[in-house]
């Protein structure tokens, strides 16, 4: 067996193991180790993504990348003039490709290459999105320096083929969450300049940054949590500069298991000039976490409607009348929902999907 099929199989085995309980802590670390055996790289950035905004979430893993380059890296991601953007791969038949191939071996066409990548000494980038059906659950950026050859079509094919398995593993990490009561920081607000620099933050934001990054919050070497903050702020700044659309938010499960929502919005001065960008961090509302869990557990449209009716307290007979279904059909759909989310009663279902806190399940 050649190296590429062997490493592809190894990556898929890692992903498949993480798609089954119990939950394990280092999916991206094991994927990175397996991939290096046949697709070597000098640096990498792996992120789970919010399936609704495609912005980075958690878990995340960054290897051999300088913290100072994240702002310009994400600014380039939201630049319509750049190539090989994650959002384009998300809607493409090709889910993994290299920068040199995408630019016909003229990487200077890419603002990302001219900025963050060149400054850090990289000559090629392989990007992939991890998509299950039409939903993206994660992304990766692999980077090689000038001493390495360009990424080959075979290298890209490894992640193209393994992508659905990795997406299934990331989706499973969300699907296995369970409600537990636990303290979390209150509402926090931080202000950023139009270029992404931190200007001010309150006590709540300070607490959340520590929650996101642990004891490393505020240290010179920022890790994956602050890269997520950079991405949300960069998207909001791009919206303010009319280079991007849509909400600038992501839902993030912190290292202690607390689900939070990071949401940013740009402002303008009374004279119409760009003002500061506000980042608000707070615990996720039950409905915001429920959206993720419903998506992660692959509920059908009909099953989602029935779950919503159950949350409002309707009986099977009432749900049937409201949705034009027989009681037996409602029971069949409800049985399917119970199997998918691994509960046995209506009370457990409502507690799981609409509780005040949602945390990882016990092994």
């Amino acid at each position: 067996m050649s190296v590429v099929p062997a490493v592809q199989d190894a990556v898929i085995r890692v992903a498949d193991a993480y798609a089954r309980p119990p939950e394990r802590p280092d999916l991206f670390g094991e994927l990175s180790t397996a991939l290096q055996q046949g697709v070597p790289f000098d640096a990498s950035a792996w992120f789970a993504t919010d399936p609704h905004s495609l912005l980075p979430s958690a878990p995340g893993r960054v290897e051999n990348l300088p913290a100072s380059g994240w702002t310009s890296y994400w600014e380039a991601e939201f630049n319509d003039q750049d190539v090989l953007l994650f959002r384009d791969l998300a809607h493409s038949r090709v889910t993994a490709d290299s920068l040199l191939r995408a630019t016909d071996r003229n990487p200077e066409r890419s603002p990302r290459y001219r900025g963050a990548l060149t400054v850090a000494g990289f000559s090629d980038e392989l990007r992939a999105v991890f998509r299950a059906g039409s939903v993206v659950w994660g992304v990766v950026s692999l980077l090689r320096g000038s001493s390495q050859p360009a990424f080959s079509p075979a290298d890209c094919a490894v992640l193209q083929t393994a992508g659905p398995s990795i997406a299934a593993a990331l989706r499973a990490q969300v699907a296995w969450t369970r409600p537990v009561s636990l303290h979390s920081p209150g509402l926090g607000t931080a202000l950023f300049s139009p270029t992404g620099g931190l200007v001010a933050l309150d006590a709540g934001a300070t607490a959340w940054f520590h929650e996101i990054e642990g004891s490393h919050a505020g240290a010179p070497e920022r890790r994956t949590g602050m890269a997520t903050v950079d991405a949300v702020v960069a998207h909001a700044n791009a919206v303010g500069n009319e280079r991007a659309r849509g909400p600038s938010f992501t839902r993030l499960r912190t290292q202690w298991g607390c689900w939070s929502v990071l949401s940013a919005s740009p402002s303008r001065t009374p004279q119409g000039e760009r003002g500061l960008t506000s980042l608000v961090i707070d615990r996720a509302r039950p409905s915001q976490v429920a959206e993720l869990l419903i998506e992660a557990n692959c509920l059908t449209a009909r099953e989602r409607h029935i779950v919503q009716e159950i949350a409002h307290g309707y009986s099977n007979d009432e749900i049937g009348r409201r949705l034009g279904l027989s009681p037996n059909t409602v029971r069949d759909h409800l049985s399917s929902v119970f199997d998918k989310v691994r509960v046995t009663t209506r009370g457990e279902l409502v507690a799981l999907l609409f509780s005040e806190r949602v945390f990882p399940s016990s092994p």
Side-chain angles (χ1 to χ4, degrees), residues 34-332:
L35 192 60
Q36 277 279 21
Q37 304 309 306
V39 184
F41 48 88
D42 297 314
S44 66
W46 305 74
F47 289 100
T49 53
D50 188 300
H52 293 276
S53 67
L54 201 62
L55 291 176
S57 178
R61 181 182 179 88
V62 175
E63 301 170 311
N64 301 325
L65 286 172
S68 59
W70 282 113
T71 298
S72 59
Y73 181 89
W74 290 116
E75 285 175 348
E77 170 63 23
F78 308 123
N79 185 340
D80 288 336
Q81 304 304 313
D82 213 333
V83 298
L84 198 61
L85 301 175
F86 288 129
R87 66 175 183 268
D88 293 333
L89 287 172
H91 301 289
S92 171
R93 181 178 58 83
V94 176
T95 58
D97 206 352
S98 72
L99 185 62
L100 283 178
R101 195 219 61 80
T103 59
D104 295 324
R105 305 194 71 82
N106 183 19
E108 291 289 338
R109 289 170 45 197
S110 165
R112 183 172 72 256
Y113 177 84
R114 297 195 305 268
L117 301 189
T118 298
V119 169
F122 299 115
S123 59
D124 196 14
E125 178 186 26
L126 192 165
R127 281 189 165 196
V129 298
F130 306 134
R131 190 174 67 201
S134 61
V135 180
V136 173
W137 291 95
V139 299
V140 67
S141 169
L142 307 178
L143 297 150
R144 284 180 177 172
S146 56
S147 63
Q148 292 261 32
F151 287 106
S152 69
D155 294 334
C156 298
V158 170
L159 287 174
Q160 173 88 25
T161 302
S165 295
I166 298 172
L170 290 167
R171 185 178 64 193
Q173 304 295 300
V174 175
W176 294 337
T177 57
R178 287 295 184 270
V180 176
S181 178
L182 189 67
H183 171 74
S184 65
L187 180 70
T189 302
L191 299 176
F192 292 80
S193 72
T195 58
L198 179 62
V199 175
L201 71 168
D202 62 13
T206 300
W208 273 114
F209 286 173
H210 278 277
E211 176 80 2
I212 291 170
E213 282 298 280
S215 61
H216 290 264
E221 295 184 359
R222 300 187 304 167
R223 297 185 300 172
T224 59
M226 296 309 293
T228 297
V229 170
D230 285 340
V232 175
V233 171
H235 185 270
N237 281 334
V239 170
N241 293 329
E242 299 182 347
R243 292 192 291 105
R245 297 179 180 178
S248 306
F249 83 97
T250 190
R251 286 161 290 192
L252 174 72
R253 199 174 74 187
T254 68
Q255 63 174 350
W256 304 117
C258 178
W259 278 104
S260 61
V261 175
L262 286 70
S263 179
S265 57
S267 67
R268 290 196 174 274
T269 68
Q271 293 74 34
E273 298 177 352
R274 274 298 316 278
L276 298 177
T277 291
S278 173
L279 174 74
V280 176
I281 314 175
D282 201 2
R283 70 187 190 190
R285 297 192 306 273
S287 60
Q288 292 172 319
V289 179
E291 289 175 349
L292 274 177
L293 294 181
I294 288 171
E295 190 76 64
N297 284 288
C298 304
L299 300 192
T300 66
R302 179 63 75 189
E303 289 168 348
R304 295 180 190 208
H305 289 156
I306 289 175
V307 167
Q308 290 169 353
E309 297 295 295
I310 289 173
H312 286 97
Y314 294 115
S315 68
N316 285 2
D317 288 345
E318 290 170 325
I319 293 172
R321 287 194 296 272
R322 288 171 60 84
L323 300 182
L325 303 173
S326 72
N328 286 339
T329 300
V330 173
R331 279 194 293 272
D332 289 343

